Coordinates of all heavy atoms in Angstrom, one line a residue:
M5 N 26.4 12.5 19.6 CA 25.8 13.8 19.2 C 24.3 13.8 19.5 O 23.5 12.9 19.2 CB 26.0 14.0 17.7 CG 25.6 15.4 17.2 SD 25.9 15.7 15.4 CE 27.6 15.4 15.2
E6 N 23.8 14.9 20.1 CA 22.5 15.0 20.4 C 21.6 15.3 19.2 O 22.1 15.8 18.2 CB 22.4 16.2 21.4 CG 23.2 16.1 22.7 CD 22.3 16.1 23.9 OE1 21.2 16.3 23.8 OE2 23.0 15.8 24.9
Y7 N 20.3 14.9 19.3 CA 19.4 15.2 18.2 C 19.4 16.6 17.7 O 19.4 16.8 16.6 CB 18.0 14.8 18.8 CG 16.8 14.9 17.7 CD1 16.5 13.9 16.9 CD2 16.2 16.1 17.5 CE1 15.6 13.9 15.9 CE2 15.2 16.2 16.5 CZ 14.9 15.1 15.8 OH 14.0 15.3 14.7
I8 N 19.3 17.6 18.6 CA 19.2 19.0 18.3 C 20.4 19.3 17.4 O 20.3 20.1 16.5 CB 19.0 19.9 19.4 CG1 18.5 21.3 19.0 CG2 20.2 20.0 20.3 CD1 17.1 21.3 18.5
D9 N 21.6 18.8 17.7 CA 22.8 19.1 17.1 C 22.8 18.6 15.6 O 23.2 19.2 14.7 CB 24.0 18.6 17.8 CG 24.3 19.2 19.2 OD1 23.9 20.5 19.3 OD2 24.8 18.5 20.0
K10 N 22.3 17.2 15.6 CA 22.2 16.6 14.3 C 21.1 17.4 13.4 O 21.4 17.5 12.2 CB 21.7 15.1 14.5 CG 22.7 14.2 15.0 CD 22.0 12.8 15.1 CE 23.0 11.8 15.7 NZ 22.4 10.5 15.9
L11 N 20.0 17.8 14.1 CA 19.0 18.5 13.3 C 19.6 19.8 12.8 O 19.4 20.2 11.5 CB 17.9 18.8 14.2 CG 16.6 19.5 13.6 CD1 16.0 18.7 12.4 CD2 15.6 19.8 14.6
S12 N 20.4 20.5 13.5 CA 20.9 21.9 13.0 C 21.9 21.6 11.9 O 21.9 22.3 10.9 CB 21.7 22.4 14.2 OG 22.3 23.6 13.9
I13 N 22.8 20.6 12.0 CA 23.8 20.3 11.0 C 23.1 19.9 9.8 O 23.5 20.3 8.6 CB 24.8 19.2 11.5 CG1 25.7 19.8 12.6 CG2 25.6 18.7 10.3 CD1 26.4 18.8 13.4
L14 N 22.2 18.9 9.9 CA 21.6 18.4 8.6 C 20.6 19.6 8.0 O 20.6 19.7 6.7 CB 20.7 17.2 9.0 CG 20.0 16.5 7.8 CD1 21.0 16.1 6.7 CD2 19.2 15.3 8.4
T15 N 19.9 20.4 8.8 CA 19.2 21.4 8.3 C 20.1 22.4 7.5 O 19.8 22.8 6.4 CB 18.4 22.3 9.3 OG1 17.6 21.4 10.0 CG2 17.6 23.4 8.7
K16 N 21.3 22.8 8.0 CA 22.1 23.7 7.3 C 22.6 23.1 6.0 O 22.8 23.7 5.0 CB 23.4 24.0 8.3 CG 23.0 25.0 9.3 CD 24.2 25.3 10.2 CE 23.7 26.1 11.3 NZ 24.7 26.4 12.4
A17 N 23.0 21.8 6.0 CA 23.4 21.1 4.8 C 22.3 21.1 3.8 O 22.6 21.4 2.6 CB 23.8 19.7 5.2
L18 N 21.1 20.8 4.2 CA 20.0 20.8 3.2 C 19.6 22.1 2.7 O 19.0 22.3 1.6 CB 18.8 20.1 3.8 CG 19.0 18.6 4.2 CD1 17.7 18.1 5.0 CD2 19.2 17.7 2.9
Q19 N 19.9 23.2 3.4 CA 19.6 24.6 2.9 C 20.4 25.0 1.7 O 20.1 25.9 1.0 CB 19.9 25.5 4.0 CG 18.9 25.6 5.1 CD 19.3 26.5 6.4 OE1 20.5 26.8 6.5 NE2 18.4 26.8 7.1
T20 N 21.5 24.1 1.4 CA 22.4 24.5 0.2 C 21.7 23.9 -1.0 O 22.2 24.1 -2.1 CB 23.7 23.9 0.4 OG1 23.7 22.5 0.5 CG2 24.4 24.4 1.7
S21 N 20.7 23.0 -0.9 CA 20.1 22.4 -2.0 C 19.0 23.3 -2.7 O 18.0 23.5 -1.9 CB 19.5 21.0 -1.6 OG 18.8 20.4 -2.6
K22 N 19.1 23.6 -3.9 CA 18.1 24.4 -4.6 C 16.9 23.5 -4.8 O 15.8 24.0 -4.7 CB 18.6 24.8 -6.0 CG 19.5 25.9 -5.8 CD 20.1 26.3 -7.2 CE 21.2 27.5 -7.1 NZ 21.6 27.9 -8.4
K23 N 17.0 22.2 -4.9 CA 15.9 21.3 -5.1 C 15.1 21.2 -3.9 O 13.9 21.3 -3.8 CB 16.4 19.9 -5.4 CG 15.4 18.7 -5.6 CD 14.7 18.9 -6.8 CE 13.8 17.7 -7.0 NZ 12.8 17.7 -8.1
V24 N 15.7 21.0 -2.7 CA 15.1 21.1 -1.4 C 14.3 22.4 -1.3 O 13.1 22.4 -0.8 CB 16.0 20.8 -0.2 CG1 15.3 20.9 1.1 CG2 16.6 19.3 -0.3
N25 N 15.0 23.5 -1.5 CA 14.5 24.9 -1.2 C 13.3 25.1 -2.2 O 12.4 25.9 -1.8 CB 15.5 25.9 -1.4 CG 16.7 25.8 -0.4 OD1 16.3 25.4 0.7 ND2 17.8 26.3 -0.7
S26 N 13.2 24.4 -3.3 CA 12.2 24.6 -4.2 C 10.8 24.3 -3.7 O 9.8 24.7 -4.2 CB 12.4 23.9 -5.6 OG 12.2 22.5 -5.4
F27 N 10.7 23.5 -2.7 CA 9.5 23.0 -2.0 C 9.0 23.9 -0.9 O 8.1 23.6 -0.2 CB 9.7 21.6 -1.6 CG 9.8 20.6 -2.6 CD1 11.0 20.1 -2.9 CD2 8.7 20.2 -3.5 CE1 11.2 19.1 -4.0 CE2 8.9 19.3 -4.4 CZ 10.1 18.8 -4.7
D28 N 9.9 24.9 -0.6 CA 9.6 25.8 0.6 C 8.3 26.4 0.5 O 7.8 26.8 -0.6 CB 10.7 27.0 0.7 CG 12.0 26.5 1.3 OD1 12.1 25.2 1.7 OD2 12.8 27.3 1.4
E29 N 7.6 26.6 1.7 CA 6.4 27.4 1.8 C 6.6 28.4 2.8 O 7.5 28.3 3.6 CB 5.2 26.4 2.1 CG 4.8 25.6 1.1 CD 3.6 24.7 1.4 OE1 2.9 25.0 2.4 OE2 3.3 23.7 0.6
P30 N 5.8 29.5 2.8 CA 6.0 30.6 3.8 C 5.9 29.9 5.2 O 5.1 29.1 5.5 CB 4.8 31.5 3.6 CG 4.3 31.3 2.2 CD 4.7 29.8 1.8
N31 N 7.0 30.3 6.0 CA 7.1 29.9 7.4 C 7.2 28.3 7.4 O 7.1 27.8 8.5 CB 5.9 30.2 8.2 CG 5.7 31.8 8.3 OD1 6.7 32.4 8.4 ND2 4.4 32.2 8.2
E32 N 7.6 27.7 6.3 CA 8.0 26.2 6.4 C 9.0 25.8 5.4 O 8.8 25.3 4.4 CB 6.6 25.4 6.1 CG 6.8 23.9 6.3 CD 5.6 23.0 6.0 OE1 5.2 22.9 4.9 OE2 4.9 22.6 7.1
P33 N 10.3 26.2 5.9 CA 11.4 25.7 5.0 C 11.6 24.2 5.0 O 11.5 23.6 6.0 CB 12.6 26.4 5.7 CG 12.2 26.7 7.2 CD 10.7 26.8 7.1
Q34 N 11.6 23.7 3.8 CA 11.7 22.3 3.7 C 13.0 21.7 4.1 O 13.1 20.5 4.4 CB 11.4 21.9 2.2 CG 10.0 22.0 1.8 CD 9.1 21.1 2.7 OE1 9.1 19.9 2.7 NE2 8.1 21.7 3.4
S35 N 14.0 22.4 4.2 CA 15.4 21.9 4.8 C 15.1 21.5 6.3 O 15.6 20.5 6.6 CB 16.4 23.0 4.7 OG 16.0 24.2 5.3
S36 N 14.3 22.2 6.9 CA 14.1 21.9 8.3 C 13.1 20.7 8.4 O 13.3 19.7 9.2 CB 13.3 23.1 8.9 OG 13.5 23.1 10.3
V37 N 12.1 20.7 7.5 CA 11.1 19.5 7.6 C 11.7 18.3 7.2 O 11.5 17.3 7.8 CB 9.9 19.9 6.6 CG1 8.9 18.7 6.4 CG2 9.1 21.1 7.1
L38 N 12.5 18.3 6.1 CA 13.2 17.2 5.7 C 14.2 16.7 6.6 O 14.4 15.5 6.8 CB 13.9 17.4 4.2 CG 14.5 16.3 3.6 CD1 13.5 15.0 3.3 CD2 15.1 16.8 2.2
A39 N 15.0 17.6 7.3 CA 16.0 17.1 8.3 C 15.3 16.4 9.5 O 15.7 15.2 9.8 CB 16.8 18.3 8.9
H40 N 14.2 16.9 10.0 CA 13.5 16.3 11.0 C 12.9 15.0 10.6 O 12.9 13.9 11.2 CB 12.3 17.3 11.4 CG 11.3 16.7 12.3 ND1 11.6 16.5 13.7 CD2 10.1 16.2 12.2 CE1 10.6 15.8 14.3 NE2 9.6 15.7 13.4
S41 N 12.3 14.9 9.4 CA 11.8 13.6 8.9 C 12.9 12.6 8.8 O 12.6 11.5 9.1 CB 11.2 13.9 7.4 OG 10.0 14.7 7.6
L42 N 14.0 13.0 8.2 CA 15.0 12.0 8.0 C 15.6 11.4 9.4 O 15.8 10.2 9.5 CB 16.2 12.6 7.2 CG 15.9 12.8 5.7 CD1 17.0 13.6 5.0 CD2 15.6 11.5 5.0
L43 N 15.7 12.3 10.3 CA 16.2 11.9 11.6 C 15.3 11.1 12.3 O 15.6 10.1 13.0 CB 16.6 13.1 12.5 CG 17.8 13.8 12.0 CD1 18.1 15.1 12.9 CD2 19.2 13.0 12.1
D44 N 14.0 11.4 12.2 CA 12.9 10.6 12.9 C 12.8 9.1 12.3 O 12.6 8.1 12.8 CB 11.6 11.2 12.9 CG 11.3 12.1 14.0 OD1 12.3 12.5 14.7 OD2 10.1 12.5 14.3
C45 N 12.9 9.1 10.9 CA 13.0 7.9 10.2 C 14.2 7.1 10.5 O 14.0 5.8 10.8 CB 13.0 8.1 8.7 SG 11.4 8.7 8.0
Q46 N 15.3 7.7 10.8 CA 16.5 7.0 11.2 C 16.2 6.3 12.5 O 16.6 5.1 12.7 CB 17.7 7.9 11.4 CG 19.0 7.2 11.8 CD 20.0 8.2 12.0 OE1 19.9 9.3 12.5 NE2 21.4 7.8 11.7
E47 N 15.6 6.9 13.5 CA 15.3 6.3 14.7 C 14.3 5.1 14.6 O 14.4 4.1 15.2 CB 14.6 7.3 15.7 CG 15.7 8.4 16.1 CD 16.8 7.7 17.0 OE1 16.6 6.9 17.8 OE2 18.0 7.9 16.7
S48 N 13.3 5.3 13.7 CA 12.3 4.3 13.5 C 13.0 3.1 12.9 O 12.7 1.9 13.3 CB 11.2 4.8 12.6 OG 10.3 5.5 13.3
F49 N 13.9 3.3 11.9 CA 14.6 2.2 11.2 C 15.5 1.5 12.2 O 15.6 0.3 12.2 CB 15.6 2.7 10.1 CG 14.8 3.3 8.9 CD1 15.3 4.3 8.2 CD2 13.5 2.8 8.5 CE1 14.6 4.8 7.2 CE2 12.8 3.3 7.5 CZ 13.3 4.4 6.8
K50 N 16.1 2.3 13.0 CA 17.0 1.7 14.2 C 16.1 0.7 15.1 O 16.5 -0.4 15.5 CB 17.7 2.8 15.0 CG 18.6 2.2 16.0 CD 19.3 3.4 16.6 CE 20.2 2.8 17.8 NZ 20.9 3.9 18.5
E51 N 14.9 1.3 15.6 CA 14.0 0.5 16.4 C 13.6 -0.8 15.8 O 13.6 -1.9 16.4 CB 12.9 1.4 16.7 CG 11.8 0.6 17.6 CD 12.2 0.4 19.0 OE1 13.3 0.9 19.5 OE2 11.5 -0.5 19.6
V52 N 13.2 -0.7 14.4 CA 12.8 -1.9 13.8 C 13.9 -2.9 13.7 O 13.8 -4.1 13.9 CB 12.2 -1.5 12.4 CG1 12.0 -2.8 11.5 CG2 10.9 -0.8 12.6
S53 N 15.1 -2.4 13.1 CA 16.2 -3.4 12.8 C 16.9 -3.9 14.1 O 17.2 -5.1 14.2 CB 17.2 -2.8 12.0 OG 17.9 -1.6 12.7
E54 N 17.1 -3.1 15.2 CA 17.7 -3.5 16.3 C 16.9 -4.2 17.5 O 17.5 -5.0 18.2 CB 18.6 -2.3 16.9 CG 19.6 -1.8 16.0 CD 20.5 -0.8 16.7 OE1 20.3 -0.5 17.8 OE2 21.3 -0.2 15.8
N55 N 15.6 -3.8 17.5 CA 14.8 -4.2 18.7 C 13.6 -5.1 18.2 O 13.3 -6.0 18.9 CB 14.2 -3.0 19.4 CG 15.4 -2.2 20.2 OD1 16.4 -2.8 20.6 ND2 15.4 -0.9 20.1
L56 N 13.0 -4.7 17.2 CA 11.6 -5.4 16.8 C 11.8 -6.6 16.0 O 11.3 -7.8 16.3 CB 10.7 -4.4 16.2 CG 10.4 -3.2 17.1 CD1 9.5 -2.2 16.3 CD2 9.6 -3.6 18.3
I57 N 12.6 -6.6 14.9 CA 12.8 -7.8 14.1 C 13.4 -8.9 14.9 O 13.1 -10.0 14.7 CB 13.5 -7.5 12.8 CG1 12.6 -6.7 11.8 CG2 14.0 -8.7 12.1 CD1 13.2 -6.2 10.6
P58 N 14.5 -8.6 15.7 CA 15.0 -9.6 16.5 C 14.1 -10.3 17.4 O 14.2 -11.6 17.7 CB 16.1 -8.9 17.4 CG 16.5 -7.8 16.6 CD 15.2 -7.2 15.9
K59 N 12.9 -9.7 17.8 CA 11.8 -10.4 18.5 C 11.3 -11.5 17.8 O 10.7 -12.5 18.3 CB 10.9 -9.4 19.0 CG 11.3 -8.4 20.1 CD 10.2 -7.5 20.5 CE 10.7 -6.6 21.6 NZ 9.6 -5.7 22.1
L60 N 11.3 -11.4 16.4 CA 10.7 -12.4 15.6 C 11.5 -13.8 15.5 O 11.0 -14.7 15.1 CB 10.3 -11.9 14.2 CG 9.6 -10.7 14.1 CD1 9.6 -10.1 12.6 CD2 8.2 -10.9 14.5
F61 N 12.7 -13.7 16.0 CA 13.6 -14.8 16.0 C 13.8 -15.5 17.4 O 14.6 -16.3 17.5 CB 15.0 -14.3 15.4 CG 14.9 -14.0 14.0 CD1 14.8 -12.7 13.6 CD2 15.1 -15.1 13.0 CE1 14.8 -12.4 12.3 CE2 15.1 -14.7 11.7 CZ 14.9 -13.3 11.3
I62 N 13.0 -15.0 18.3 CA 13.1 -15.5 19.7 C 12.6 -16.9 19.8 O 11.4 -17.0 19.5 CB 12.4 -14.6 20.7 CG1 13.2 -13.3 20.8 CG2 12.5 -15.3 22.1 CD1 12.6 -12.2 21.7
E63 N 13.4 -17.8 20.0 CA 12.9 -19.2 20.0 C 11.9 -19.4 21.2 O 12.2 -19.0 22.3 CB 14.1 -20.2 20.2 CG 13.8 -21.7 20.0 CD 15.0 -22.6 19.9 OE1 16.0 -22.1 19.4 OE2 14.8 -23.7 20.5
G64 N 10.9 -20.0 20.9 CA 9.8 -20.2 21.9 C 8.9 -19.0 22.2 O 8.0 -19.1 23.0
A65 N 9.0 -18.0 21.4 CA 8.1 -16.9 21.5 C 6.7 -17.3 21.2 O 6.4 -18.1 20.3 CB 8.5 -15.8 20.6
S66 N 5.8 -16.8 22.0 CA 4.3 -17.1 21.7 C 3.9 -16.4 20.5 O 4.4 -15.5 20.1 CB 3.5 -16.7 23.0 OG 3.5 -15.3 23.0
T67 N 2.7 -16.9 20.0 CA 2.1 -16.2 18.9 C 1.7 -14.8 19.2 O 1.8 -13.9 18.4 CB 0.8 -17.0 18.4 OG1 1.2 -18.3 18.1 CG2 0.2 -16.4 17.3
E68 N 1.2 -14.6 20.5 CA 1.0 -13.2 20.9 C 2.1 -12.3 20.9 O 2.1 -11.1 20.5 CB 0.3 -13.2 22.2 CG -0.1 -11.8 22.7 CD -0.7 -11.9 24.1 OE1 -1.0 -13.0 24.7 OE2 -1.1 -10.8 24.6
E69 N 3.3 -12.8 21.3 CA 4.6 -12.1 21.3 C 4.9 -11.7 19.9 O 5.4 -10.5 19.6 CB 5.7 -12.7 22.0 CG 5.5 -12.8 23.5 CD 6.4 -13.8 24.2 OE1 6.8 -14.8 23.6 OE2 6.8 -13.5 25.3
L70 N 4.8 -12.6 19.0 CA 5.1 -12.5 17.6 C 4.1 -11.4 17.0 O 4.6 -10.5 16.3 CB 5.1 -13.8 16.7 CG 6.2 -14.8 17.1 CD1 5.8 -16.1 16.3 CD2 7.6 -14.3 16.6
E71 N 2.9 -11.5 17.2 CA 2.0 -10.5 16.7 C 2.1 -9.2 17.2 O 2.0 -8.2 16.6 CB 0.5 -11.1 16.9 CG 0.2 -12.3 16.0 CD -1.1 -13.0 16.3 OE1 -1.8 -12.6 17.4 OE2 -1.6 -13.9 15.6
D72 N 2.5 -9.1 18.5 CA 2.8 -7.8 19.2 C 4.0 -7.1 18.5 O 4.0 -5.9 18.1 CB 3.1 -7.9 20.6 CG 1.9 -8.2 21.5 OD1 0.7 -8.0 21.0 OD2 2.1 -8.6 22.7
A73 N 5.1 -7.9 18.2 CA 6.3 -7.4 17.5 C 5.9 -6.9 16.1 O 6.3 -5.8 15.7 CB 7.3 -8.5 17.4
L74 N 5.0 -7.8 15.3 CA 4.6 -7.3 14.0 C 3.8 -6.0 14.1 O 4.0 -5.1 13.2 CB 3.7 -8.4 13.3 CG 4.5 -9.7 13.0 CD1 3.6 -10.8 12.6 CD2 5.5 -9.4 11.9
H75 N 2.9 -5.9 15.1 CA 2.2 -4.6 15.3 C 3.1 -3.5 15.5 O 2.9 -2.3 15.0 CB 1.1 -4.8 16.4 CG 0.4 -3.5 16.7 ND1 -0.7 -3.1 15.9 CD2 0.5 -2.7 17.7 CE1 -1.1 -2.0 16.4 NE2 -0.5 -1.7 17.5
D76 N 4.0 -3.7 16.4 CA 5.1 -2.6 16.7 C 5.8 -2.2 15.5 O 6.1 -1.0 15.2 CB 5.9 -3.0 17.9 CG 5.3 -3.2 19.2 OD1 4.1 -2.6 19.3 OD2 5.8 -3.8 20.2
I77 N 6.2 -3.2 14.7 CA 6.9 -2.9 13.5 C 6.0 -2.0 12.6 O 6.4 -1.0 12.0 CB 7.4 -4.1 12.7 CG1 8.5 -4.8 13.5 CG2 7.7 -3.8 11.3 CD1 8.8 -6.2 13.0
G78 N 4.7 -2.4 12.5 CA 3.8 -1.6 11.7 C 3.6 -0.1 12.1 O 3.5 0.8 11.2
E79 N 3.7 0.0 13.5 CA 3.5 1.3 14.0 C 4.8 2.2 13.6 O 4.6 3.4 13.3 CB 3.3 1.4 15.5 CG 1.9 0.9 15.9 CD 0.7 1.6 15.1 OE1 0.7 2.9 15.2 OE2 -0.1 1.0 14.5
E80 N 5.9 1.5 13.7 CA 7.1 2.3 13.2 C 7.0 2.6 11.7 O 7.4 3.7 11.3 CB 8.4 1.5 13.5 CG 8.7 1.3 15.0 CD 9.0 2.7 15.7 OE1 9.5 3.7 15.1 OE2 8.7 2.9 17.0
L81 N 6.6 1.7 10.9 CA 6.4 1.9 9.5 C 5.3 3.0 9.2 O 5.6 3.9 8.3 CB 6.1 0.7 8.7 CG 7.1 -0.4 8.7 CD1 6.5 -1.7 8.1 CD2 8.4 0.0 8.0
R82 N 4.3 3.1 10.0 CA 3.3 4.1 9.9 C 4.0 5.5 10.2 O 3.7 6.5 9.5 CB 2.1 3.9 10.9 CG 1.1 5.0 10.8 CD 0.2 5.0 12.0 NE -0.3 3.8 12.4 CZ -1.5 3.3 12.0 NH1 -2.3 4.0 11.2 NH2 -2.0 2.1 12.4
H83 N 4.9 5.5 11.1 CA 5.6 6.8 11.5 C 6.5 7.2 10.3 O 6.5 8.5 10.0 CB 6.5 6.5 12.8 CG 7.2 7.7 13.2 ND1 8.6 7.7 13.5 CD2 6.8 8.9 13.6 CE1 8.9 8.9 14.0 NE2 7.9 9.7 14.0
V84 N 7.2 6.3 9.6 CA 8.0 6.5 8.5 C 7.1 7.1 7.4 O 7.4 8.1 6.6 CB 8.7 5.2 8.0 CG1 9.4 5.5 6.7 CG2 9.9 4.9 9.1
L85 N 5.9 6.4 7.1 CA 4.9 7.0 6.1 C 4.6 8.4 6.4 O 4.4 9.1 5.5 CB 3.8 6.0 5.9 CG 4.0 4.7 5.3 CD1 2.8 3.8 5.4 CD2 4.3 5.0 3.8
Y86 N 4.3 8.6 7.6 CA 3.9 10.0 7.9 C 5.0 11.0 7.5 O 4.7 12.0 6.9 CB 3.8 10.1 9.5 CG 3.6 11.6 9.9 CD1 2.5 12.3 9.8 CD2 4.8 12.3 10.4 CE1 2.4 13.6 10.1 CE2 4.7 13.6 10.8 CZ 3.6 14.3 10.6 OH 3.5 15.6 10.9
H87 N 6.2 10.6 7.8 CA 7.3 11.6 7.3 C 7.6 11.6 5.8 O 7.9 12.6 5.3 CB 8.6 11.2 8.1 CG 8.6 11.6 9.5 ND1 8.6 12.9 9.9 CD2 8.5 10.9 10.7 CE1 8.5 13.0 11.2 NE2 8.6 11.8 11.7
I88 N 7.3 10.5 5.2 CA 7.4 10.5 3.8 C 6.3 11.4 3.2 O 6.6 12.2 2.2 CB 7.2 9.0 3.2 CG1 8.5 8.2 3.4 CG2 7.0 9.2 1.7 CD1 8.2 6.7 3.1
N89 N 5.2 11.4 3.7 CA 4.0 12.3 3.3 C 4.3 13.7 3.8 O 4.0 14.6 3.0 CB 2.7 11.8 3.8 CG 2.2 10.6 3.1 OD1 2.0 10.6 1.9 ND2 1.9 9.5 3.9
D90 N 5.0 14.0 4.8 CA 5.3 15.3 5.3 C 6.3 16.0 4.5 O 6.2 17.3 4.3 CB 5.6 15.2 6.8 CG 5.6 16.6 7.4 OD1 4.7 17.3 7.2 OD2 6.5 16.9 8.3
A91 N 7.4 15.3 4.1 CA 8.5 15.9 3.4 C 8.1 16.0 1.9 O 8.1 15.1 1.1 CB 9.7 15.1 3.6
K92 N 7.9 17.2 1.4 CA 7.6 17.4 0.1 C 8.5 16.9 -0.9 O 8.3 16.6 -2.1 CB 7.2 19.0 -0.2 CG 5.9 19.3 0.6 CD 5.6 20.8 0.3 CE 4.4 21.2 1.0 NZ 4.3 21.0 2.5
F93 N 9.8 16.9 -0.4 CA 10.9 16.5 -1.3 C 10.6 15.0 -1.9 O 10.9 14.6 -3.0 CB 12.2 16.4 -0.6 CG 13.4 16.1 -1.5 CD1 14.1 17.0 -2.2 CD2 14.0 14.9 -1.5 CE1 15.1 16.8 -3.1 CE2 15.0 14.5 -2.3 CZ 15.6 15.4 -3.0
Y94 N 10.0 14.1 -1.0 CA 9.6 12.8 -1.4 C 8.2 12.7 -2.0 O 7.6 11.5 -2.0 CB 9.9 11.9 -0.3 CG 11.3 11.8 0.0 CD1 11.8 12.2 1.3 CD2 12.2 11.3 -0.8 CE1 13.3 12.1 1.5 CE2 13.5 11.1 -0.6 CZ 14.1 11.5 0.6 OH 15.5 11.5 0.8
S95 N 7.6 13.7 -2.4 CA 6.2 13.6 -2.8 C 6.0 12.7 -4.1 O 5.0 12.1 -4.3 CB 5.7 15.1 -3.2 OG 6.4 15.6 -4.3
Y96 N 7.1 12.5 -4.8 CA 7.0 11.5 -5.9 C 6.8 10.1 -5.6 O 6.4 9.3 -6.3 CB 8.3 11.6 -6.9 CG 9.5 11.2 -6.2 CD1 9.9 9.8 -6.4 CD2 10.3 11.9 -5.4 CE1 11.1 9.4 -5.7 CE2 11.4 11.5 -4.7 CZ 11.8 10.2 -4.9 OH 12.9 9.8 -4.3
L97 N 7.1 9.8 -4.2 CA 6.7 8.4 -3.8 C 5.3 8.1 -3.6 O 4.9 7.0 -3.4 CB 7.5 8.2 -2.6 CG 9.0 8.2 -2.5 CD1 9.7 8.2 -1.2 CD2 9.6 7.1 -3.5
I98 N 4.5 9.2 -3.5 CA 3.1 9.1 -3.1 C 2.3 8.9 -4.4 O 2.2 9.9 -5.2 CB 2.7 10.3 -2.3 CG1 3.5 10.4 -1.0 CG2 1.2 10.2 -1.8 CD1 3.5 11.7 -0.4
E99 N 1.5 7.9 -4.5 CA 0.6 7.7 -5.6 C -0.7 8.6 -5.4 O -1.2 8.8 -4.4 CB 0.2 6.2 -5.8 CG 1.4 5.3 -6.1 CD 1.0 3.9 -6.2 OE1 -0.2 3.5 -6.4 OE2 1.8 3.1 -6.2
D100 N -1.1 9.0 -6.6 CA -2.3 9.8 -6.6 C -3.5 8.9 -6.4 O -3.6 8.0 -6.9 CB -2.5 10.7 -7.9 CG -1.4 11.7 -7.9 OD1 -0.9 12.2 -6.9 OD2 -1.0 12.2 -9.1

């Protein structure tokens, strides 16, 4: 299934949630924001679990290769944090 199809299906499902809709702002429905955030996080989690963490287990990998993998993991985590901050539904995760 293509990203746009997943986004459409997930957005429609989230539109049924009064809790999600309670965070809506003019011209920014949270069902759409949250759907996009979740799908992007899914891609980041997949990248980390399937591609980056396995690099840490490569026998004979140089220190530079390990550090590059750790940096790449950090960048994916930064991307996830962006989406956590962007989705008002998860605002309770953010410390003041």
